[in-house]
Amino acid sequence: MAANTLSNIMPKILAKGLLALRERCVLPGLVNMDYGNEAAQKGTTIDVPISTAIAVAAVTPSNVFEAPGGATPDLVQISLDKWYKNTPFHLTDKELTEVDRNRDFMPMQVSEAVRGIANQVNQDIFATYTDVGNLANEDAATFAVSHIVEARKLLNMGGCPNDNRAFVINHEAEATLLGTADFSAANTNADGGQARREGDIGRKYGFNWWADDDCPLHTGGTAINGASECAADTAIGSRTLSVTHDGSESIKAGDSFTIAGDSTYYAATANASLVAGDVTISISPALKVAVTAAGAAAITWHPNVASDTGRVGLAFHRDAFALATRPLMASATDLAMGSNMMSMTDPVSGLSLRLEVQRQYKQTTWEFDILYGTKCVRPEYACKVYTSAS
């Protein structure tokens, strides 16, 4: 195929790929992606500033100007460490001609190629749930409206803004809610029965509702078996905690817990093994209340059933999670080898895709790839909800 023909068709294929990606990805449209669009390579990091609280003081008139406060925003780094591509696909000359003539034509291979990429992006954002400590219910088999109210309460207590809140659940949980009067009865809903007519929950309890079967399945550890305590004095702001346990049990990334004297829900962010001794675990969010008496602060693990399994839904504000994506740079070697490459950023979703076209023996291959990174940057702005048992 002539190079000038490819140059005409590549932008159209790339735009159709971005459109398919936008339509198939739920979470990228709900999380914060305001981190620029400079071209980058795998391994690049992005600094995300996180605001800190500023104290209020009484005004005392004086002839001396008061020194400004020394508050410095926290920084969370997002690593662009996820680089994925689809298996190369082929387009017939007939399909390429149709793409060139008909702007509404979407080749089946393009849609299928993007499907896997969209699922991967979605799943990688969901995977950051392990940094979320807040938990609205402890039994996946009893998902109910009361847990939605509890999630809202925990977000409010964490200082989460009221706007841009979303609730993402799996389709089984959505079916459960659509079967309740609180969500479907026309005479008790401001939407006039939209959920009953369209099967669309819309906005309820201050959340915009979405259903997505990429909700992760969490299997908790066995730390509930026995007693855990903080094993060392720990200052506010620490992201690690020394724990002692009276036996050998397990902690799984995403397990939530509370500490005596502190109402905050924390999460263990990595798997760990508890033994009859001291073990240091990574936690999220950073410690809110100092542990000042080693051995005196008991730890309560949630859920309260060992190895409990449940599908995790998320109630969150858009600033709880960050997705950073960058258009990939084409190296001089790639271009010298005869590859045709083009990158494009979707103005709606903010997602960036690159399209590479290579001529092989008697055939032309097409391949999308994407570079991005994900992070839970404000865990107090999110809450886990077990929506179903599997």
Side-chain angles (χ1 to χ4, degrees), residues 17-88:
L18 281 171
L19 180 61
L21 187 63
R22 182 201 309 172
E23 291 174 345
R24 293 184 181 278
C25 280
V26 171
L27 282 181
L30 305 178
V31 303
N32 198 337
M33 292 186 62
D34 300 335
Y35 305 114
N37 57 4
E38 301 84 2
Q41 293 179 329
K42 185 180 181 182
T44 303
T45 59
I46 299 169
D47 290 334
V48 179
I50 305 296
S51 60
T52 56
I54 298 178
V56 175
V59 175
T60 303
S62 172
N63 63 335
V64 179
F65 287 105
E66 187 174 354
T72 303
D74 288 336
L75 286 178
V76 175
Q77 281 197 329
I78 303 176
S79 176
L80 299 178
D81 57 355
K82 304 182 188 305
W83 185 15
Y84 291 103
K85 69 176 185 67
N86 63 274
T87 300

Side-chain angles (χ1 to χ4, degrees), residues 141-197:
T142 61
F143 178 53
V145 171
S146 60
H147 304 136
I148 300 167
V149 176
E150 179 68 13
R152 177 183 173 88
K153 182 192 79 173
L154 290 172
L155 294 190
N156 291 340
M157 291 173 62
C160 177
N162 287 319
D163 61 343
N164 293 314
R165 291 186 180 186
F167 213 126
V168 183
I169 55 178
N170 65 344
H171 288 100
E172 181 179 340
E174 181 190 48
T176 297
L177 292 181
L178 289 173
T180 66
D182 282 342
F183 278 78
S184 63
N187 63 333
T188 60
N189 284 278
D191 62 12
Q194 175 182 337
R196 176 167 290 181
R197 292 194 310 272

Side-chain angles (χ1 to χ4, degrees), residues 203-220:
R203 185 170 178 81
K204 295 284 191 301
Y205 291 89
F207 297 97
N208 294 316
W209 287 80
W210 303 85
D212 191 322
D213 266 345
D214 278 334
C215 291
L217 187 66
H218 179 75
T219 300

Side-chain angles (χ1 to χ4, degrees), residues 271-315:
N271 294 345
S273 296
L274 293 174
V275 294
D278 298 350
V279 174
T280 299
I281 64 173
S282 299
I283 66 171
S284 175
L287 196 64
K288 303 294 185 183
V289 177
V291 176
T292 57
I299 293 175
T300 301
W301 295 95
H302 309 276
N304 53 18
V305 180
S307 299
D308 195 24
T309 300
R311 191 68 62 175
V312 177
L314 289 171

